[in-house]
Structure formats: structure tokens, C-alpha cells
Amino acid sequence: MDDLQGKVFIVTGANSGIGFEAAKNFASRGGEVVLVCRNETKGLAAMKEIEAETGSEKVVLEVADFSSLASVNELADRLLLNYECIDVLCNNAGGANSKRELTNEGFELTFATNHLSGFLLTQKLLPLLLNQAARGEARVVFTSSLGHKNSPLDFDDLNLDKKYSTLKAYGRSKLMNLLTAREIHRRYGHQAIIASSFHPGAVRTAIWGKGGFLATVLGFVMYPFMWSIEKGADTFIWLASSQEEAVKNAAGNYFFDRRQPSIADFATDEAAKRLWEVSEELIQPHLKDSQQI
Ligand SMILES: NC(=O)c1ccc[n+]([C@@H]2O[C@H](COP(=O)([O-])OP(=O)(O)OC[C@H]3O[C@@H](n4cnc5c(N)ncnc54)[C@H](OP(=O)(O)O)[C@@H]3O)[C@@H](O)[C@H]2O)c1
């Protein structure tokens, strides 16, 4: 695999599962890796494990809670201070929630954690990604899911006020990941930002135990058929770091097992454009707050 010396990778949700596996891979190949984790203790443990296994001295921990736009704003501000260029941003943090909950900022928790926070982070880091792209290329990779097919977006009910279900909330957020990658390509592909999204497969990670009773039961039943974390992270690592033409031409598309499978009919360009505009409006007040601080 290609040497990643001199490249900076930001990986959200890096303390466990496929995010940890991908971060470890980038570090083992010489990349500088910023582990973004919500829990400092878990983040430090992950950092030590990666350092011990890879011998890397270029692993950094950043703590941020993706259920809070304020927290992600602060994270982005720190990264803007510390880096001039970012090669690869991996928007991977996410999960499912059994009950409808609102964040302190008034957003449905899954929507905020899985989409809005990654969107805000990407928006704020665009200058650093564009700096790098001007020297060759930069990449943004979104961990989406086959679950993006669960439900079309309802722009009149992004907060799922009407009828909440875990699968609907999770599926819509993963559709948003797919659409955001596509819209990044439309807006910035010509400036050498390579965007993509992927489904990792049904993977044996901790996520199945974090989404309530239904997810735990589903995880238990599917466990024997699930992929290992190494296999689940393969397409992730490939999209983030391979120099193969298929990746360089990813063009905002959605991948599974290094191929482009069919996507939901409702994953349209129009939905991608509208989601971008609505998301920009929703994060705007939070960006202004940060600038005033
Ligand atoms: N496993 C699968 O079968 C599967 C299938 C399709 C898609 N995915 C997607 O793959 C991605 C990674 O999940 P995984 O399977 O590797 O599970 P995981 O081990 O639970 O990893 C999820 C990561 O996201 C972090 N995270 C969750 N909520 C957060 C928040 N509010 N703020 C900051 N970080 C937060 C978690 O932190 P904590 O450790 O602190 O919880 C963890 O580091 C997710 O986006 C998931 O939707 C997974």
C-alpha cells in the first residue's frame, strides 16, 4: 500500500470500530492522524494502542462531542489553528438512537450527530482541504450505510417530530452522508477535492450495542454473518488512501466492497443540493456564535 508520509488524516469516531482500524492503518503507513473522539479516556487508550502497534509518533487526540455543534465548532477552530492543510477528512462518527431525543441545540440527536456535525466540520475545514487540493488533491470520505435506503428525506420534518423510528432516523442520516459526498463533488470536485461515501457492510463493532434493544437483538442475530472490523474498514481505507484510478475518479459516489452498488432512487442530485442549502442555514447561527467568541 502507498506510503502516507507527510499526509494529514482527520478521523472522527476513531476510538473504536472501523474508525479505529482505519486510523491505525494510516498511522502504520506514516500518516499523521488526528483521532477525534468524544470520550477522552477512550481516545487516549486508542491513541496508546495505535502508537504501540504502529510505532508512530504522529498520532494526535482531539476531543469533541458530535451531539453538540458548539463542541464541533471548537474542534474545527483548533484544527484551523494547528494545520495549514488537510489531506483527508474521514467523517465516520455516528450511531443509532432507540428513542427520539433533542440535543441542547434543539436538533434530533441522530440528525445532529450523524449529519449536521460532520457537515459543519467539513464546511469549516474546507479552506484547509482546498489548500491541500491546490497542491494535488484532498479527500473527504463519509461512512454511510446500506441503511440509506430506509427512508427518503422529509425536508419538512428533519427533526423527526412526526413519527420517530430508529431505522428511519438512522437511515435518513446515512442518506445525508451519501448526498453530502455527492454535493461536495459537484461544488468542489473541479478543485481537486475527491469526495466519496461507503457502506462498510454489517460489521462486528460496538455500534450494535449502543442503539437500544432492537439494535442489540439485530446485532445478536446477525453476529455470525457479520464482517470482521478489518474487512469492514477495507473500502474506507481504500477510498481514503489508495492512488488507484477508481478512487481518484470516485466523483462523490457511494461504494461497498470497493464497488459502486445501486443506491436509493430518492438519493437524487436535487435532494443533495437542497440538503446542502438547508444544512448551511441550520448551522449558520452556530458558526456566528463561534466567531463572536
Ligand atoms: N458496524 C456496522 O455494521 C455499520 C454498518 C453501516 C454503517 N456503519 C457506520 O460506521 C460508522 C462507525 O461505526 P462502527 O460500526 O465502527 O461503530 P463504533 O465502534 O460504535 O464506532 C462509532 C464511533 O462514533 C463515535 N461517536 C458516536 N457518537 C458520537 C458523538 N456524539 N460524538 C463523537 N463521536 C461519537 C463513537 O464513540 P464512542 O465509542 O464514544 O461511542 C465511536 O468512536 C458509523 O457512522 C456507523 O453508522 C456501521
Side-chain angles (χ1 to χ4, degrees):
M1 282 197 277
D2 301 297
D3 185 358
L4 303 179
Q5 293 283 345
K7 294 196 173 191
V8 176
F9 293 77
I10 313 288
V11 185
T12 71
N15 59 283
S16 73
I18 59 172
F20 174 80
E21 193 62 27
K24 188 170 69 175
N25 178 283
F26 305 145
S28 73
R29 294 158 64 198
E32 179 171 348
V33 186
V34 180
L35 311 176
V36 179
C37 307
R38 72 170 145 183
N39 178 301
E40 188 171 15
T41 308
K42 285 189 196 175
L44 281 172
M47 188 168 86
K48 281 190 185 145
E49 194 176 333
I50 292 176
E51 285 171 343
E53 284 194 34
T54 66
S56 171
E57 293 176 349
K58 292 181 289 185
V59 185
V60 176
L61 174 64
E62 285 287 353
V63 177
D65 182 351
F66 275 44
S67 67
S68 159
L69 294 181
S71 175
V72 176
N73 228 331
E74 288 171 16
L75 162 72
D77 286 342
R78 292 195 298 276
L79 294 171
L80 286 165
L81 270 181
N82 293 339
Y83 294 89
E84 271 178 36
C85 295
I86 290 173
D87 291 82
V88 186
L89 170 60
C90 300
N91 283 308
N92 168 71
N97 300 289
S98 56
K99 291 189 191 127
R100 181 176 181 272
E101 277 179 56
L102 289 185
T103 67
N104 292 338
E105 290 152 343
F107 299 109
E108 189 278 318
L109 182 59
T110 321
F111 174 49
T113 306
N114 294 7
H115 169 64
L116 276 182
S117 285
F119 181 82
L120 185 151
L121 183 63
T122 307
Q123 284 270 15
K124 288 200 66 161
L125 296 184
L126 268 171
L128 304 193
L129 290 160
L130 286 167
N131 282 349
Q132 183 53 41
R135 300 173 186 186
E137 58 156 67
R139 298 187 187 184
V140 186
V141 181
F142 288 84
T143 307
S144 176
S145 168
L146 177 63
H148 82 269
K149 294 187 175 181
N150 291 355
S151 166
L153 299 184
D154 178 353
F155 283 99
D156 296 326
D157 188 27
L158 288 172
N159 257 348
L160 290 114
D161 282 314
K162 287 180 194 156
K163 197 175 173 208
Y164 182 86
S165 87
T166 305
L167 287 180
K168 188 169 30 167
Y170 181 74
R172 284 184 182 176
S173 72
K174 293 287 131 184
L175 173 60
M176 292 176 193
N177 297 153
L178 180 158
L179 294 174
T180 308
R182 177 144 6 130
E183 185 63 7
I184 290 174
H185 173 68
R186 196 182 71 79
R187 289 174 178 251
Y188 301 103
H190 66 285
Q191 287 176 273
I193 294 189
I194 301 171
S196 61
S197 66
F198 72 98
H199 170 53
V203 187
R204 284 190 198 112
T205 68
I207 202 168
W208 298 93
K210 297 179 190 170
F213 181 70
L214 190 67
T216 305
V217 171
L218 200 64
F220 185 74
V221 172
M222 287 172 58
Y223 193 83
F225 311 102
M226 284 184 198
W227 281 5
S228 68
I229 292 176
E230 291 77 9
K231 190 162 168 139
D234 174 74
T235 300
F236 187 168
I237 294 164
W238 181 69
L239 288 169
S241 63
S242 170
Q243 292 302 317
E244 284 179 30
E245 282 306 306
V247 175
K248 288 185 155 289
N249 297 324
N253 283 313
Y254 168 81
F255 291 78
F256 167 57
D257 204 13
R258 298 194 181 198
R259 285 170 285 124
Q260 287 185 42
S262 67
I263 59 170
D265 291 344
F266 45 76
T268 60
D269 288 346
E270 194 194 349
K273 277 184 211 165
R274 189 163 174 201
L275 176 66
W276 185 279
E277 286 159 13
V278 171
S279 303
E280 267 185 337
E281 274 173 33
L282 291 175
I283 66 166
Q284 201 54 41
H286 302 276
L287 292 174
K288 277 189 190 139
D289 284 344
S290 148
Q291 278 153 13
Q292 279 157 14
I293 291 165

